[in-house]
Amino acid sequence: QAQLVESGGGWVQPGGSLRLSCAASGSIFTFNTVAWYRQVPGKERELVAHITSGDITSYVDNVKGRFTISRDSARRTVILQMYDLKPDDTGVYYCNTVPVMTVNGGRYWGQGTQVTVSS
């Protein structure tokens, strides 16, 4: 059964760093593009970074130079290293494939991990 487990979130002051991790069951990540998404209350979930099966990475403009997405050699874990965090980075972070996984006809999401950036 498909499973995504995000971890590593927390509270940090502006300018701080966090390292998010996403573990996937089976071979979900092996041949797929994988992304980190961010959900802010009142806004649509947005894709902030992705990494292709060929390890090409891409970022939205407002995180470029501050966030780095990577995957482990076994291709079961995807990391989002975040530096110089800003209050606008606050949100619940989810990992998923691109396009988003479907299970039993519906989109599947893990529980996400909360990131709060405030002073």
Side-chain angles (χ1 to χ4, degrees):
Q1 184 174 352
Q3 187 174 23
L4 300 171
V5 180
E6 300 93 344
S7 62
W11 173 83
V12 63
Q13 292 185 334
S17 302
L18 284 173
R19 184 175 184 269
L20 306 185
S21 180
C22 174
S25 60
S27 59
I28 295 172
F29 287 169
T30 303
F31 302 110
N32 290 304
T33 293
V34 182
W36 281 94
Y37 300 78
R38 178 170 62 207
Q39 176 82 65
V40 177
K43 295 186 178 181
E44 290 191 4
R45 197 169 304 187
E46 65 167 339
L47 189 156
V48 297
H50 75 254
I51 182 166
T52 70
S53 59
D55 291 338
I56 304 299
T57 59
S58 182
Y59 305 87
V60 294
D61 285 345
N62 60 14
V63 307
K64 282 181 181 176
R66 301 188 297 118
F67 290 12
T68 301
I69 187 171
S70 62
R71 62 165 97 217
D72 71 333
S73 59
R75 295 190 161 231
R76 291 199 171 189
T77 302
V78 174
I79 302 296
L80 186 68
Q81 179 68 55
M82 306 186 293
Y83 296 103
D84 190 23
L85 282 160
K86 305 178 186 302
D88 283 349
D89 296 320
T90 295
V92 181
Y93 285 71
Y94 302 86
C95 66
N96 213 313
T97 54
V98 180
V100 172
M101 293 170 50
T102 57
V103 177
N104 296 325
R107 288 188 168 189
Y108 170 84
W109 292 97
Q111 84 286 352
T113 187
Q114 174 72 48
V115 171
T116 302
V117 185
S118 72
S119 54

PDB file of all heavy atoms in Angstrom, residues 17-57:
ATOM      1  N   SER A  17      17.095  27.422   9.821  1.00  0.00           N
ATOM      2  CA  SER A  17      17.122  26.330   8.858  1.00  0.00           C
ATOM      3  C   SER A  17      16.324  25.145   9.372  1.00  0.00           C
ATOM      4  O   SER A  17      16.198  24.946  10.580  1.00  0.00           O
ATOM      5  CB  SER A  17      18.565  25.869   8.621  1.00  0.00           C
ATOM      6  OG  SER A  17      19.379  26.910   8.155  1.00  0.00           O
ATOM      7  N   LEU A  18      15.806  24.377   8.441  1.00  0.00           N
ATOM      8  CA  LEU A  18      15.146  23.115   8.744  1.00  0.00           C
ATOM      9  C   LEU A  18      15.462  22.128   7.635  1.00  0.00           C
ATOM     10  O   LEU A  18      15.689  22.527   6.485  1.00  0.00           O
ATOM     11  CB  LEU A  18      13.626  23.279   8.863  1.00  0.00           C
ATOM     12  CG  LEU A  18      13.074  23.906  10.131  1.00  0.00           C
ATOM     13  CD1 LEU A  18      11.568  24.137   9.968  1.00  0.00           C
ATOM     14  CD2 LEU A  18      13.335  23.038  11.336  1.00  0.00           C
ATOM     15  N   ARG A  19      15.412  20.862   7.991  1.00  0.00           N
ATOM     16  CA  ARG A  19      15.631  19.791   7.021  1.00  0.00           C
ATOM     17  C   ARG A  19      14.434  18.857   7.063  1.00  0.00           C
ATOM     18  O   ARG A  19      14.210  18.163   8.045  1.00  0.00           O
ATOM     19  CB  ARG A  19      16.921  19.038   7.336  1.00  0.00           C
ATOM     20  CG  ARG A  19      17.317  17.972   6.343  1.00  0.00           C
ATOM     21  CD  ARG A  19      18.689  17.402   6.730  1.00  0.00           C
ATOM     22  NE  ARG A  19      19.207  16.442   5.780  1.00  0.00           N
ATOM     23  CZ  ARG A  19      19.003  15.132   5.851  1.00  0.00           C
ATOM     24  NH1 ARG A  19      18.293  14.632   6.842  1.00  0.00           N
ATOM     25  NH2 ARG A  19      19.516  14.317   4.940  1.00  0.00           N
ATOM     26  N   LEU A  20      13.662  18.859   5.987  1.00  0.00           N
ATOM     27  CA  LEU A  20      12.493  18.002   5.895  1.00  0.00           C
ATOM     28  C   LEU A  20      12.872  16.709   5.195  1.00  0.00           C
ATOM     29  O   LEU A  20      13.681  16.699   4.268  1.00  0.00           O
ATOM     30  CB  LEU A  20      11.379  18.691   5.119  1.00  0.00           C
ATOM     31  CG  LEU A  20      10.955  20.079   5.592  1.00  0.00           C
ATOM     32  CD1 LEU A  20       9.752  20.555   4.775  1.00  0.00           C
ATOM     33  CD2 LEU A  20      10.644  20.093   7.063  1.00  0.00           C
ATOM     34  N   SER A  21      12.228  15.636   5.630  1.00  0.00           N
ATOM     35  CA  SER A  21      12.482  14.331   5.042  1.00  0.00           C
ATOM     36  C   SER A  21      11.161  13.680   4.676  1.00  0.00           C
ATOM     37  O   SER A  21      10.171  13.837   5.386  1.00  0.00           O
ATOM     38  CB  SER A  21      13.242  13.452   6.031  1.00  0.00           C
ATOM     39  OG  SER A  21      13.497  12.182   5.505  1.00  0.00           O
ATOM     40  N   CYS A  22      11.167  12.948   3.590  1.00  0.00           N
ATOM     41  CA  CYS A  22       9.981  12.225   3.158  1.00  0.00           C
ATOM     42  C   CYS A  22      10.377  10.805   2.801  1.00  0.00           C
ATOM     43  O   CYS A  22      11.221  10.599   1.922  1.00  0.00           O
ATOM     44  CB  CYS A  22       9.350  12.906   1.954  1.00  0.00           C
ATOM     45  SG  CYS A  22       7.969  11.977   1.252  1.00  0.00           S
ATOM     46  N   ALA A  23       9.769   9.866   3.480  1.00  0.00           N
ATOM     47  CA  ALA A  23      10.038   8.456   3.216  1.00  0.00           C
ATOM     48  C   ALA A  23       8.851   7.858   2.468  1.00  0.00           C
ATOM     49  O   ALA A  23       7.695   8.084   2.834  1.00  0.00           O
ATOM     50  CB  ALA A  23      10.258   7.707   4.522  1.00  0.00           C
ATOM     51  N   ALA A  24       9.156   7.085   1.441  1.00  0.00           N
ATOM     52  CA  ALA A  24       8.115   6.473   0.627  1.00  0.00           C
ATOM     53  C   ALA A  24       8.193   4.961   0.717  1.00  0.00           C
ATOM     54  O   ALA A  24       9.280   4.393   0.813  1.00  0.00           O
ATOM     55  CB  ALA A  24       8.257   6.904  -0.825  1.00  0.00           C
ATOM     56  N   SER A  25       7.057   4.339   0.673  1.00  0.00           N
ATOM     57  CA  SER A  25       7.031   2.876   0.658  1.00  0.00           C
ATOM     58  C   SER A  25       7.293   2.379  -0.753  1.00  0.00           C
ATOM     59  O   SER A  25       7.005   3.064  -1.732  1.00  0.00           O
ATOM     60  CB  SER A  25       5.683   2.372   1.154  1.00  0.00           C
ATOM     61  OG  SER A  25       4.640   2.849   0.322  1.00  0.00           O
ATOM     62  N   GLY A  26       7.821   1.190  -0.828  1.00  0.00           N
ATOM     63  CA  GLY A  26       8.039   0.567  -2.121  1.00  0.00           C
ATOM     64  C   GLY A  26       8.882   1.397  -3.061  1.00  0.00           C
ATOM     65  O   GLY A  26       9.828   2.060  -2.662  1.00  0.00           O
ATOM     66  N   SER A  27       8.499   1.363  -4.324  1.00  0.00           N
ATOM     67  CA  SER A  27       9.293   2.036  -5.355  1.00  0.00           C
ATOM     68  C   SER A  27       8.610   3.288  -5.888  1.00  0.00           C
ATOM     69  O   SER A  27       8.800   3.673  -7.043  1.00  0.00           O
ATOM     70  CB  SER A  27       9.544   1.059  -6.506  1.00  0.00           C
ATOM     71  OG  SER A  27       8.302   0.620  -7.043  1.00  0.00           O
ATOM     72  N   ILE A  28       7.809   3.921  -5.032  1.00  0.00           N
ATOM     73  CA  ILE A  28       7.044   5.100  -5.466  1.00  0.00           C
ATOM     74  C   ILE A  28       7.938   6.145  -6.094  1.00  0.00           C
ATOM     75  O   ILE A  28       7.614   6.761  -7.111  1.00  0.00           O
ATOM     76  CB  ILE A  28       6.279   5.701  -4.276  1.00  0.00           C
ATOM     77  CG1 ILE A  28       5.222   4.722  -3.764  1.00  0.00           C
ATOM     78  CG2 ILE A  28       5.628   7.021  -4.668  1.00  0.00           C
ATOM     79  CD1 ILE A  28       4.561   5.149  -2.480  1.00  0.00           C
ATOM     80  N   PHE A  29       9.104   6.372  -5.472  1.00  0.00           N
ATOM     81  CA  PHE A  29       9.972   7.465  -5.921  1.00  0.00           C
ATOM     82  C   PHE A  29      10.975   7.052  -6.983  1.00  0.00           C
ATOM     83  O   PHE A  29      11.641   7.897  -7.555  1.00  0.00           O
ATOM     84  CB  PHE A  29      10.747   8.019  -4.730  1.00  0.00           C
ATOM     85  CG  PHE A  29       9.934   8.835  -3.762  1.00  0.00           C
ATOM     86  CD1 PHE A  29      10.458   9.204  -2.539  1.00  0.00           C
ATOM     87  CD2 PHE A  29       8.650   9.237  -4.069  1.00  0.00           C
ATOM     88  CE1 PHE A  29       9.723   9.956  -1.644  1.00  0.00           C
ATOM     89  CE2 PHE A  29       7.896   9.990  -3.192  1.00  0.00           C
ATOM     90  CZ  PHE A  29       8.431  10.359  -1.967  1.00  0.00           C
ATOM     91  N   THR A  30      11.096   5.763  -7.237  1.00  0.00           N
ATOM     92  CA  THR A  30      12.222   5.285  -8.037  1.00  0.00           C
ATOM     93  C   THR A  30      12.282   5.912  -9.422  1.00  0.00           C
ATOM     94  O   THR A  30      13.331   6.387  -9.856  1.00  0.00           O
ATOM     95  CB  THR A  30      12.177   3.761  -8.154  1.00  0.00           C
ATOM     96  OG1 THR A  30      12.181   3.195  -6.853  1.00  0.00           O
ATOM     97  CG2 THR A  30      13.377   3.254  -8.935  1.00  0.00           C
ATOM     98  N   PHE A  31      11.168   5.935 -10.105  1.00  0.00           N
ATOM     99  CA  PHE A  31      11.191   6.396 -11.496  1.00  0.00           C
ATOM    100  C   PHE A  31      10.358   7.641 -11.730  1.00  0.00           C
ATOM    101  O   PHE A  31      10.116   8.016 -12.877  1.00  0.00           O
ATOM    102  CB  PHE A  31      10.719   5.264 -12.420  1.00  0.00           C
ATOM    103  CG  PHE A  31      11.532   4.024 -12.312  1.00  0.00           C
ATOM    104  CD1 PHE A  31      11.007   2.873 -11.727  1.00  0.00           C
ATOM    105  CD2 PHE A  31      12.831   3.989 -12.772  1.00  0.00           C
ATOM    106  CE1 PHE A  31      11.764   1.723 -11.611  1.00  0.00           C
ATOM    107  CE2 PHE A  31      13.604   2.846 -12.663  1.00  0.00           C
ATOM    108  CZ  PHE A  31      13.061   1.709 -12.084  1.00  0.00           C
ATOM    109  N   ASN A  32       9.901   8.250 -10.641  1.00  0.00           N
ATOM    110  CA  ASN A  32       9.012   9.402 -10.773  1.00  0.00           C
ATOM    111  C   ASN A  32       9.690  10.713 -10.390  1.00  0.00           C
ATOM    112  O   ASN A  32      10.621  10.731  -9.585  1.00  0.00           O
ATOM    113  CB  ASN A  32       7.787   9.221  -9.867  1.00  0.00           C
ATOM    114  CG  ASN A  32       6.874   8.137 -10.361  1.00  0.00           C
ATOM    115  OD1 ASN A  32       6.400   8.154 -11.485  1.00  0.00           O
ATOM    116  ND2 ASN A  32       6.613   7.164  -9.501  1.00  0.00           N
ATOM    117  N   THR A  33       9.179  11.788 -10.955  1.00  0.00           N
ATOM    118  CA  THR A  33       9.517  13.107 -10.438  1.00  0.00           C
ATOM    119  C   THR A  33       8.837  13.257  -9.082  1.00  0.00           C
ATOM    120  O   THR A  33       7.666  12.904  -8.925  1.00  0.00           O
ATOM    121  CB  THR A  33       9.037  14.200 -11.404  1.00  0.00           C
ATOM    122  OG1 THR A  33       9.783  14.106 -12.616  1.00  0.00           O
ATOM    123  CG2 THR A  33       9.213  15.582 -10.798  1.00  0.00           C
ATOM    124  N   VAL A  34       9.577  13.770  -8.121  1.00  0.00           N
ATOM    125  CA  VAL A  34       9.070  13.923  -6.763  1.00  0.00           C
ATOM    126  C   VAL A  34       9.163  15.393  -6.380  1.00  0.00           C
ATOM    127  O   VAL A  34      10.128  16.080  -6.733  1.00  0.00           O
ATOM    128  CB  VAL A  34       9.877  13.070  -5.768  1.00  0.00           C
ATOM    129  CG1 VAL A  34       9.306  13.213  -4.366  1.00  0.00           C
ATOM    130  CG2 VAL A  34       9.853  11.608  -6.193  1.00  0.00           C
ATOM    131  N   ALA A  35       8.169  15.853  -5.646  1.00  0.00           N
ATOM    132  CA  ALA A  35       8.120  17.269  -5.303  1.00  0.00           C
ATOM    133  C   ALA A  35       7.774  17.469  -3.843  1.00  0.00           C
ATOM    134  O   ALA A  35       7.182  16.604  -3.195  1.00  0.00           O
ATOM    135  CB  ALA A  35       7.085  17.983  -6.169  1.00  0.00           C
ATOM    136  N   TRP A  36       8.134  18.636  -3.367  1.00  0.00           N
ATOM    137  CA  TRP A  36       7.630  19.137  -2.098  1.00  0.00           C
ATOM    138  C   TRP A  36       6.595  20.215  -2.414  1.00  0.00           C
ATOM    139  O   TRP A  36       6.842  21.105  -3.241  1.00  0.00           O
ATOM    140  CB  TRP A  36       8.747  19.724  -1.246  1.00  0.00           C
ATOM    141  CG  TRP A  36       9.548  18.676  -0.548  1.00  0.00           C
ATOM    142  CD1 TRP A  36      10.713  18.103  -0.982  1.00  0.00           C
ATOM    143  CD2 TRP A  36       9.251  18.059   0.705  1.00  0.00           C
ATOM    144  NE1 TRP A  36      11.156  17.173  -0.081  1.00  0.00           N
ATOM    145  CE2 TRP A  36      10.279  17.115   0.972  1.00  0.00           C
ATOM    146  CE3 TRP A  36       8.235  18.204   1.649  1.00  0.00           C
ATOM    147  CZ2 TRP A  36      10.305  16.338   2.128  1.00  0.00           C
ATOM    148  CZ3 TRP A  36       8.260  17.418   2.793  1.00  0.00           C
ATOM    149  CH2 TRP A  36       9.291  16.503   3.024  1.00  0.00           C
ATOM    150  N   TYR A  37       5.465  20.112  -1.719  1.00  0.00           N
ATOM    151  CA  TYR A  37       4.370  21.047  -1.873  1.00  0.00           C
ATOM    152  C   TYR A  37       4.160  21.755  -0.540  1.00  0.00           C
ATOM    153  O   TYR A  37       4.430  21.207   0.522  1.00  0.00           O
ATOM    154  CB  TYR A  37       3.080  20.313  -2.251  1.00  0.00           C
ATOM    155  CG  TYR A  37       3.123  19.534  -3.536  1.00  0.00           C
ATOM    156  CD1 TYR A  37       3.734  18.282  -3.605  1.00  0.00           C
ATOM    157  CD2 TYR A  37       2.509  20.019  -4.689  1.00  0.00           C
ATOM    158  CE1 TYR A  37       3.757  17.551  -4.789  1.00  0.00           C
ATOM    159  CE2 TYR A  37       2.510  19.286  -5.868  1.00  0.00           C
ATOM    160  CZ  TYR A  37       3.137  18.058  -5.904  1.00  0.00           C
ATOM    161  OH  TYR A  37       3.144  17.335  -7.073  1.00  0.00           O
ATOM    162  N   ARG A  38       3.595  22.949  -0.612  1.00  0.00           N
ATOM    163  CA  ARG A  38       3.329  23.725   0.600  1.00  0.00           C
ATOM    164  C   ARG A  38       1.871  24.160   0.614  1.00  0.00           C
ATOM    165  O   ARG A  38       1.348  24.675  -0.386  1.00  0.00           O
ATOM    166  CB  ARG A  38       4.245  24.954   0.650  1.00  0.00           C
ATOM    167  CG  ARG A  38       4.020  25.878   1.845  1.00  0.00           C
ATOM    168  CD  ARG A  38       5.126  26.898   1.934  1.00  0.00           C
ATOM    169  NE  ARG A  38       5.187  27.758   0.766  1.00  0.00           N
ATOM    170  CZ  ARG A  38       6.292  28.353   0.351  1.00  0.00           C
ATOM    171  NH1 ARG A  38       7.445  28.179   0.995  1.00  0.00           N
ATOM    172  NH2 ARG A  38       6.274  29.142  -0.727  1.00  0.00           N
ATOM    173  N   GLN A  39       1.238  23.962   1.755  1.00  0.00           N
ATOM    174  CA  GLN A  39      -0.167  24.360   1.946  1.00  0.00           C
ATOM    175  C   GLN A  39      -0.241  25.446   2.992  1.00  0.00           C
ATOM    176  O   GLN A  39       0.215  25.252   4.139  1.00  0.00           O
ATOM    177  CB  GLN A  39      -0.996  23.168   2.384  1.00  0.00           C
ATOM    178  CG  GLN A  39      -2.441  23.493   2.696  1.00  0.00           C
ATOM    179  CD  GLN A  39      -3.288  23.553   1.441  1.00  0.00           C
ATOM    180  OE1 GLN A  39      -3.463  22.555   0.762  1.00  0.00           O
ATOM    181  NE2 GLN A  39      -3.840  24.722   1.130  1.00  0.00           N
ATOM    182  N   VAL A  40      -0.804  26.561   2.605  1.00  0.00           N
ATOM    183  CA  VAL A  40      -1.037  27.667   3.535  1.00  0.00           C
ATOM    184  C   VAL A  40      -2.536  27.839   3.662  1.00  0.00           C
ATOM    185  O   VAL A  40      -3.249  27.791   2.647  1.00  0.00           O
ATOM    186  CB  VAL A  40      -0.389  28.966   3.014  1.00  0.00           C
ATOM    187  CG1 VAL A  40      -0.696  30.115   3.961  1.00  0.00           C
ATOM    188  CG2 VAL A  40       1.113  28.792   2.855  1.00  0.00           C
ATOM    189  N   PRO A  41      -3.071  28.043   4.883  1.00  0.00           N
ATOM    190  CA  PRO A  41      -4.518  28.207   5.041  1.00  0.00           C
ATOM    191  C   PRO A  41      -5.067  29.284   4.111  1.00  0.00           C
ATOM    192  O   PRO A  41      -4.496  30.375   4.007  1.00  0.00           O
ATOM    193  CB  PRO A  41      -4.665  28.598   6.503  1.00  0.00           C
ATOM    194  CG  PRO A  41      -3.492  27.973   7.174  1.00  0.00           C
ATOM    195  CD  PRO A  41      -2.379  28.081   6.176  1.00  0.00           C
ATOM    196  N   GLY A  42      -6.139  28.933   3.431  1.00  0.00           N
ATOM    197  CA  GLY A  42      -6.780  29.894   2.555  1.00  0.00           C
ATOM    198  C   GLY A  42      -6.198  29.957   1.164  1.00  0.00           C
ATOM    199  O   GLY A  42      -6.699  30.698   0.311  1.00  0.00           O
ATOM    200  N   LYS A  43      -5.147  29.187   0.919  1.00  0.00           N
ATOM    201  CA  LYS A  43      -4.518  29.190  -0.401  1.00  0.00           C
ATOM    202  C   LYS A  43      -4.409  27.767  -0.930  1.00  0.00           C
ATOM    203  O   LYS A  43      -4.433  26.804  -0.171  1.00  0.00           O
ATOM    204  CB  LYS A  43      -3.126  29.826  -0.337  1.00  0.00           C
ATOM    205  CG  LYS A  43      -3.122  31.296   0.015  1.00  0.00           C
ATOM    206  CD  LYS A  43      -1.722  31.863  -0.086  1.00  0.00           C
ATOM    207  CE  LYS A  43      -1.700  33.357   0.217  1.00  0.00           C
ATOM    208  NZ  LYS A  43      -0.340  33.928   0.105  1.00  0.00           N
ATOM    209  N   GLU A  44      -4.279  27.678  -2.230  1.00  0.00           N
ATOM    210  CA  GLU A  44      -4.099  26.364  -2.839  1.00  0.00           C
ATOM    211  C   GLU A  44      -2.712  25.811  -2.516  1.00  0.00           C
ATOM    212  O   GLU A  44      -1.753  26.561  -2.351  1.00  0.00           O
ATOM    213  CB  GLU A  44      -4.283  26.460  -4.353  1.00  0.00           C
ATOM    214  CG  GLU A  44      -5.705  26.725  -4.788  1.00  0.00           C
ATOM    215  CD  GLU A  44      -5.888  26.553  -6.288  1.00  0.00           C
ATOM    216  OE1 GLU A  44      -4.929  26.154  -6.964  1.00  0.00           O
ATOM    217  OE2 GLU A  44      -6.995  26.826  -6.774  1.00  0.00           O
ATOM    218  N   ARG A  45      -2.640  24.502  -2.455  1.00  0.00           N
ATOM    219  CA  ARG A  45      -1.358  23.858  -2.251  1.00  0.00           C
ATOM    220  C   ARG A  45      -0.465  24.145  -3.458  1.00  0.00           C
ATOM    221  O   ARG A  45      -0.902  24.003  -4.592  1.00  0.00           O
ATOM    222  CB  ARG A  45      -1.569  22.350  -2.083  1.00  0.00           C
ATOM    223  CG  ARG A  45      -0.432  21.601  -1.472  1.00  0.00           C
ATOM    224  CD  ARG A  45      -0.867  20.178  -1.103  1.00  0.00           C
ATOM    225  NE  ARG A  45      -2.014  20.178  -0.219  1.00  0.00           N
ATOM    226  CZ  ARG A  45      -2.501  19.090   0.356  1.00  0.00           C
ATOM    227  NH1 ARG A  45      -1.914  17.927   0.144  1.00  0.00           N
ATOM    228  NH2 ARG A  45      -3.546  19.148   1.122  1.00  0.00           N
ATOM    229  N   GLU A  46       0.761  24.560  -3.193  1.00  0.00           N
ATOM    230  CA  GLU A  46       1.648  24.905  -4.296  1.00  0.00           C
ATOM    231  C   GLU A  46       2.890  24.021  -4.269  1.00  0.00           C
ATOM    232  O   GLU A  46       3.381  23.620  -3.211  1.00  0.00           O
ATOM    233  CB  GLU A  46       2.065  26.381  -4.216  1.00  0.00           C
ATOM    234  CG  GLU A  46       2.901  26.738  -3.007  1.00  0.00           C
ATOM    235  CD  GLU A  46       3.548  28.107  -3.106  1.00  0.00           C
ATOM    236  OE1 GLU A  46       3.701  28.638  -4.220  1.00  0.00           O
ATOM    237  OE2 GLU A  46       3.927  28.644  -2.035  1.00  0.00           O
ATOM    238  N   LEU A  47       3.398  23.759  -5.458  1.00  0.00           N
ATOM    239  CA  LEU A  47       4.632  23.011  -5.586  1.00  0.00           C
ATOM    240  C   LEU A  47       5.798  23.979  -5.399  1.00  0.00           C
ATOM    241  O   LEU A  47       5.839  25.020  -6.062  1.00  0.00           O
ATOM    242  CB  LEU A  47       4.680  22.350  -6.966  1.00  0.00           C
ATOM    243  CG  LEU A  47       5.793  21.342  -7.269  1.00  0.00           C
ATOM    244  CD1 LEU A  47       5.351  20.406  -8.393  1.00  0.00           C
ATOM    245  CD2 LEU A  47       7.097  22.007  -7.635  1.00  0.00           C
ATOM    246  N   VAL A  48       6.719  23.660  -4.496  1.00  0.00           N
ATOM    247  CA  VAL A  48       7.831  24.586  -4.244  1.00  0.00           C
ATOM    248  C   VAL A  48       9.152  24.082  -4.805  1.00  0.00           C
ATOM    249  O   VAL A  48      10.046  24.876  -5.112  1.00  0.00           O
ATOM    250  CB  VAL A  48       8.001  24.908  -2.754  1.00  0.00           C
ATOM    251  CG1 VAL A  48       6.783  25.612  -2.219  1.00  0.00           C
ATOM    252  CG2 VAL A  48       8.274  23.660  -1.923  1.00  0.00           C
ATOM    253  N   ALA A  49       9.295  22.763  -4.947  1.00  0.00           N
ATOM    254  CA  ALA A  49      10.547  22.215  -5.478  1.00  0.00           C
ATOM    255  C   ALA A  49      10.278  20.817  -6.003  1.00  0.00           C
ATOM    256  O   ALA A  49       9.434  20.104  -5.452  1.00  0.00           O
ATOM    257  CB  ALA A  49      11.626  22.159  -4.398  1.00  0.00           C
ATOM    258  N   HIS A  50      10.976  20.447  -7.068  1.00  0.00           N
ATOM    259  CA  HIS A  50      10.850  19.078  -7.523  1.00  0.00           C
ATOM    260  C   HIS A  50      12.183  18.554  -8.038  1.00  0.00           C
ATOM    261  O   HIS A  50      13.087  19.329  -8.384  1.00  0.00           O
ATOM    262  CB  HIS A  50       9.740  18.933  -8.575  1.00  0.00           C
ATOM    263  CG  HIS A  50      10.078  19.439  -9.943  1.00  0.00           C
ATOM    264  ND1 HIS A  50       9.565  20.601 -10.458  1.00  0.00           N
ATOM    265  CD2 HIS A  50      10.848  18.906 -10.922  1.00  0.00           C
ATOM    266  CE1 HIS A  50      10.007  20.776 -11.680  1.00  0.00           C
ATOM    267  NE2 HIS A  50      10.794  19.761 -11.995  1.00  0.00           N
ATOM    268  N   ILE A  51      12.273  17.233  -8.078  1.00  0.00           N
ATOM    269  CA  ILE A  51      13.471  16.575  -8.575  1.00  0.00           C
ATOM    270  C   ILE A  51      13.011  15.461  -9.511  1.00  0.00           C
ATOM    271  O   ILE A  51      12.145  14.665  -9.168  1.00  0.00           O
ATOM    272  CB  ILE A  51      14.349  16.040  -7.417  1.00  0.00           C
ATOM    273  CG1 ILE A  51      15.635  15.400  -7.947  1.00  0.00           C
ATOM    274  CG2 ILE A  51      13.580  15.085  -6.502  1.00  0.00           C
ATOM    275  CD1 ILE A  51      16.680  15.168  -6.858  1.00  0.00           C
ATOM    276  N   THR A  52      13.588  15.420 -10.695  1.00  0.00           N
ATOM    277  CA  THR A  52      13.171  14.432 -11.681  1.00  0.00           C
ATOM    278  C   THR A  52      13.857  13.091 -11.438  1.00  0.00           C
ATOM    279  O   THR A  52      14.768  12.979 -10.612  1.00  0.00           O
ATOM    280  CB  THR A  52      13.509  14.913 -13.100  1.00  0.00           C
ATOM    281  OG1 THR A  52      14.938  14.895 -13.267  1.00  0.00           O
ATOM    282  CG2 THR A  52      12.969  16.319 -13.350  1.00  0.00           C
ATOM    283  N   SER A  53      13.449  12.106 -12.197  1.00  0.00           N
ATOM    284  CA  SER A  53      14.091  10.795 -12.095  1.00  0.00           C
ATOM    285  C   SER A  53      15.558  10.872 -12.500  1.00  0.00           C
ATOM    286  O   SER A  53      16.357  10.031 -12.088  1.00  0.00           O
ATOM    287  CB  SER A  53      13.345   9.779 -12.962  1.00  0.00           C
ATOM    288  OG  SER A  53      13.329  10.202 -14.303  1.00  0.00           O
ATOM    289  N   GLY A  54      15.906  11.869 -13.280  1.00  0.00           N
ATOM    290  CA  GLY A  54      17.295  12.082 -13.663  1.00  0.00           C
ATOM    291  C   GLY A  54      18.019  13.063 -12.757  1.00  0.00           C
ATOM    292  O   GLY A  54      19.102  13.549 -13.091  1.00  0.00           O
ATOM    293  N   ASP A  55      17.384  13.382 -11.616  1.00  0.00           N
ATOM    294  CA  ASP A  55      17.959  14.264 -10.601  1.00  0.00           C
ATOM    295  C   ASP A  55      18.136  15.707 -11.057  1.00  0.00           C
ATOM    296  O   ASP A  55      18.996  16.429 -10.551  1.00  0.00           O
ATOM    297  CB  ASP A  55      19.285  13.712 -10.069  1.00  0.00           C
ATOM    298  CG  ASP A  55      19.098  12.438  -9.241  1.00  0.00           C
ATOM    299  OD1 ASP A  55      17.979  12.230  -8.737  1.00  0.00           O
ATOM    300  OD2 ASP A  55      20.051  11.659  -9.121  1.00  0.00           O
ATOM    301  N   ILE A  56      17.299  16.127 -11.989  1.00  0.00           N
ATOM    302  CA  ILE A  56      17.242  17.539 -12.340  1.00  0.00           C
ATOM    303  C   ILE A  56      16.298  18.209 -11.358  1.00  0.00           C
ATOM    304  O   ILE A  56      15.187  17.722 -11.115  1.00  0.00           O
ATOM    305  CB  ILE A  56      16.732  17.742 -13.770  1.00  0.00           C
ATOM    306  CG1 ILE A  56      17.602  16.970 -14.767  1.00  0.00           C
ATOM    307  CG2 ILE A  56      16.686  19.221 -14.106  1.00  0.00           C
ATOM    308  CD1 ILE A  56      19.034  17.380 -14.789  1.00  0.00           C
ATOM    309  N   THR A  57      16.716  19.339 -10.800  1.00  0.00           N
ATOM    310  CA  THR A  57      15.910  20.013  -9.787  1.00  0.00           C
ATOM    311  C   THR A  57      15.363  21.334 -10.300  1.00  0.00           C
ATOM    312  O   THR A  57      15.927  21.954 -11.219  1.00  0.00           O
ATOM    313  CB  THR A  57      16.744  20.283  -8.524  1.00  0.00           C
ATOM    314  OG1 THR A  57      17.868  21.096  -8.860  1.00  0.00           O
ATOM    315  CG2 THR A  57      17.227  18.981  -7.905  1.00  0.00           C
TER     316      THR A  57
END
